[in-house]
Amino acid sequence: MAPPATVDGHREKILILDFGSQYTQLIARRVREAHVYCEIHPYSMTLDAMRAFAPRGIILSGGHQSVYADGAPALEPEMFRLGVPILGICYGMQLMARHCGGTVAASNRREYGPALVTSLPDCGELFREFFQETPTQVWMSHGDHVTALPPGFRVAGRSDNAPVAAMFDPERHLYGVQFHPEVNHTPRGESIIDRFVRGLCACQGLWTPGHFIDWAVDHVRATVGGDQVILGLSGGVDSSVTAALVHRAIGDQLTCVFVDNGLLRLHEGDEVMATFAEHMGLKVIRVDAQEEFMANLAGVTDPERKRRIIGHTFIRVFEREARRIDGARWLAQGTIYPDVIESAGAKTGVATAIKSHHNVGGLPEDMGLALLEPLRELFKDEVRQVGEELGLPHRMLYRHPFPGPGLGVRILGEVKPEYADLLRQADAIYMAELHASGHYERISQAFAVFLPVRSVGVMGDGRTYEYVIALRAVETKDFMTAAWYPMPYELLSRIANRIINEVSGVNRVAYDITSKPPGTIEWE
Ligand code: XMP
């Protein structure tokens, strides 16, 4: 019997047009959670490009301007002729209303935050589940609102401040919501997205980790043929899942290079080798470059210079190893969808560079290798699901983020091997206690920091004069802002006791209670 044909999850696509909302990525995540493939494109996408994309439906995002403002993002009017269902959210709904002959005006009162929406008796298929309780809570964020309904439309729900909080035209399959169904503060909001993509756009939900893996395996095989591929394995989620996926596709044609820069966590190198080389059978070259990194970092105290040195040294070491691999033509990288969106500049506004973030990416073009980026369509949660399906350990997939420069930015000032050793031990005790107490999973990121200052203490009958370890733990959704984690006192006390007793050279432990802003998460 012939093997079943691979199901391509890209067969059903939703197009999300970005009008500059801070929530656009969340819309995409909700669509993917409904197991439907989608892409975010700038609102200025041409009609030809839309046709070529062939979406089953279109979602217009919110935006922060007024539809009447000079230079405000406008929609491509011809998209309404494509004949696919369209859902407008907030600004997107206002654009739709105006285009279809309704009126949009500034409200007397701007509405930001929670609001109650009351449904009308016949609220249509899209909203039926959402409005099973009425009034229902939603998250609003608007200054303007629709004041006169366009011809052919009906009101599905209204709030005190928005006479048209939800509207629809069942004939043309056009839908609009003034509130944000994509955010968690709108309970059951996901039902609107789910009904839209699976009900109205008639998508079956083909975008699953299993189908993605089958498709990606075919795709990687077809792309690289018989060529050799190399990959810089860091032990982080993205490079690990990329390695497992590419290995499933082409087996021994993949060689991974794992660089030990001396700035990794305790036993990290051994764990990476155990998982990938021993357990999964990947070809992994472990390069011990600790001395080279330490030599280059000697005497350097400036955080940004340290980052640059670590980045450049990595590239040199990696390049050297890569040149030894005969016939390597491809470089596999763990680029994921948020990286793609950000570098495409689909997001408006320019972030201020507070820290330069070096990742394993940024390898020089003159290496003459073509890029293979099999995860570039996935969000982080999807990468984790794919990793799980490929059999990677849960702990590896759900680990807190670890910065590219590693302990290099957690040892304040000059990096020395003996500092790295102390920090590794302290950090391992901290992590072990967080896991044992169940707090690890509740924290977004936790780590120990080495302070190269000494303080006086007393242990037994003797005076000590030793280094300080600071403990950091934060809760955050997006790592742009973060709150310090309210760690129970008994747990803090146990961690501090263990570090002071077990790590010789440390006699004091402090807990960092700085949020971001004003602090950053890392200390450097
Ligand atoms: P900050 O310290 O800027 O950190 O609040 C936000 C998130 O980014 C991580 N981070 C880095 N990641 N290279 C990286 O790959 C870096 O140089 C770097 N600096 C910070 C940090 O761990 C946190 O998750």
Side-chain angles (χ1 to χ4, degrees), residues 14 25-36 59 87 89 125-133 136-139 177 179-200 381:
I14 297 290
Q25 282 199 35
L26 280 181
I27 303 174
R29 289 192 26 205
R30 295 288 104 83
V31 173
R32 301 279 184 96
E33 279 163 17
H35 299 300
V36 175
I59 300 181
L87 169 65
I89 296 177
E125 190 192 335
L126 181 65
F127 300 111
R128 201 160 297 131
E129 188 182 337
F130 180 70
F131 282 132
Q132 56 181 265
E133 277 168 32
T136 191
Q137 197 187 313
V138 301
W139 187 258
V177 283
F179 53 88
H180 289 276
E182 69 275 27
V183 306
N184 286 332
H185 306 293
T186 300
R188 291 196 312 284
E190 70 284 354
S191 76
I192 294 182
I193 310 261
D194 191 273
R195 283 311 302 149
F196 180 72
V197 300
R198 294 173 69 114
L200 300 164
D381 40 346

Side-chain angles (χ1 to χ4, degrees), residues 5-14 31-32 34-39 53 56 203-216 377:
T6 305
V7 176
D8 181 2
H10 302 86
R11 245 173 28 210
E12 306 172 331
K13 290 185 278 195
I14 297 290
V31 173
R32 301 279 184 96
H35 299 300
V36 175
Y37 181 70
C38 61
E39 284 181 19
F53 185 77
R56 292 271 177 102
C203 297
Q204 295 173 56
L206 302 177
W207 187 253
T208 61
H211 287 159
F212 171 79
I213 293 169
D214 292 345
W215 173 83
E377 292 171 339

Side-chain angles (χ1 to χ4, degrees), residues 333-348:
Q333 276 192 339
T335 312
I336 69 171
Y337 197 43
D339 307 331
V340 174
I341 299 171
E342 265 138 47
S343 60
K347 275 187 102 64
T348 45

Side-chain angles (χ1 to χ4, degrees), residues 15-19 40-46 50 344-346:
L15 172 62
I16 298 169
L17 292 175
D18 182 21
F19 291 88
I40 299 173
H41 286 268
Y43 68 90
S44 53
M45 187 183 197
T46 63
M50 288 185 207

